[in-house]
Amino acid sequence: MFDLAIDPAARELPNQGSTYDPVLQGILDSWGWCPAYAVDRRWNYVAWNEAASEVFADYGKLTGRDRNLVWYLFTHPSQRQLLVHWEREARKCLALFRASSDQFADDPWFREFSHELSEASPEFREWWPLHDIRIAHTGHKELNHPVAGKLSLRPTTLMPAEFPELKILLYIPLPQENTAEKLQRLAPSGRWSGALELQLDPAKS
């Protein structure tokens, strides 16, 4: 299902109203209480499962620029409260976004976006000229969730072969902070009782 390379010939975004949505949604939902969402090459959220909405943000209510992962991370105070190490996570995200910007250097959207975000965020304005680049989303993410408390997650990036213009970010619970149990408690009652259970060994994280 997943390929680690993007076919350069398949970089164009799907047209609005594309029929890939139900299939993509099914992929995300199959991970149950493990948060997962899909973003396009510009890092706009295009789909997510309910676990991601419970843990990170109510994506269905986001509009305009807020539907962009990078914009939301740098401009919304809620993200600074949620992420225990906000600066570290923001710098990592920015380096990943820079890699996308360089990959699609012929897309003027990236220049327009970086200009607007530089005006909206002093941190983005300071760090963007450093030109840090990161290819893989590695390490672990520590959260201070307003309901569940401390959570520890390991992010991984998947490139679905069916949708080469997208990438899926899947967050697997680590044993620290009883994260898996807390995620299950956040899930709507009985909603994901049959979901695939994933948990990483801390010795491998």
Side-chain angles (χ1 to χ4, degrees):
M1 179 182 295
F2 299 106
D3 190 356
L4 296 180
I6 300 178
D7 180 359
R11 288 175 176 171
E12 290 305 312
L13 300 179
N15 294 327
Q16 188 173 5
S18 172
T19 57
Y20 75 76
D21 299 83
V23 176
L24 176 61
Q25 191 64 53
I27 294 172
L28 299 175
D29 289 343
S30 71
W31 285 305
W33 40 261
C34 291
Y37 52 77
V39 297
D40 62 21
R41 72 184 189 188
R42 296 171 174 174
W43 289 70
N44 295 311
Y45 297 109
V46 299
W48 51 86
N49 61 13
E50 289 194 35
S53 289
E54 292 286 348
V55 172
F56 295 114
D58 190 348
Y59 299 114
K61 294 183 179 179
L62 302 182
T63 60
R65 285 295 198 207
D66 288 346
R67 290 291 289 270
N68 182 274
L69 187 156
V70 182
W71 185 278
Y72 194 74
L73 176 62
F74 274 87
T75 63
H76 279 255
S78 63
Q79 296 302 288
R80 297 173 187 261
Q81 298 168 2
L82 178 66
L83 295 167
V84 175
H85 304 288
W86 179 85
E87 180 174 337
R88 183 182 71 188
E89 296 299 330
R91 285 179 174 269
K92 286 166 59 176
C93 178
L94 184 58
L96 290 165
F97 182 71
R98 170 65 84 172
S100 296
S101 175
D102 286 0
Q103 182 181 7
F104 303 107
D106 58 341
D107 185 349
W109 179 92
F110 284 97
R111 292 190 297 273
E112 296 168 4
F113 179 87
S114 60
H115 175 73
E116 291 181 19
L117 189 49
S118 292
E119 294 182 342
S121 167
E123 291 89 355
F124 185 92
R125 183 167 60 250
E126 177 183 353
W127 301 336
W128 183 248
L130 300 179
H131 216 287
D132 292 334
I133 292 179
R134 192 181 186 96
I135 302 302
H137 199 158
T138 58
H140 68 281
K141 190 183 295 287
E142 296 178 58
L143 307 181
N144 188 19
H145 192 272
V147 175
K150 293 294 181 62
L151 300 173
S152 186
L153 300 164
R154 177 69 178 269
T156 186
T157 302
L158 304 172
M159 301 296 189
E162 297 92 332
F163 315 111
E165 73 283 352
L166 305 178
K167 48 181 167 278
I168 292 175
L169 279 78
L170 169 66
Y171 294 86
I172 302 174
L174 294 171
Q176 295 93 319
E177 312 294 348
N178 296 317
T179 299
E181 180 181 348
K182 291 178 179 178
L183 289 177
Q184 292 179 72
R185 290 177 180 175
L186 283 174
S189 179
R191 170 74 172 178
W192 302 319
S193 58
L196 174 66
E197 295 190 9
L198 298 173
Q199 182 165 302
L200 290 182
D201 184 333
K204 298 179 181 180
S205 62

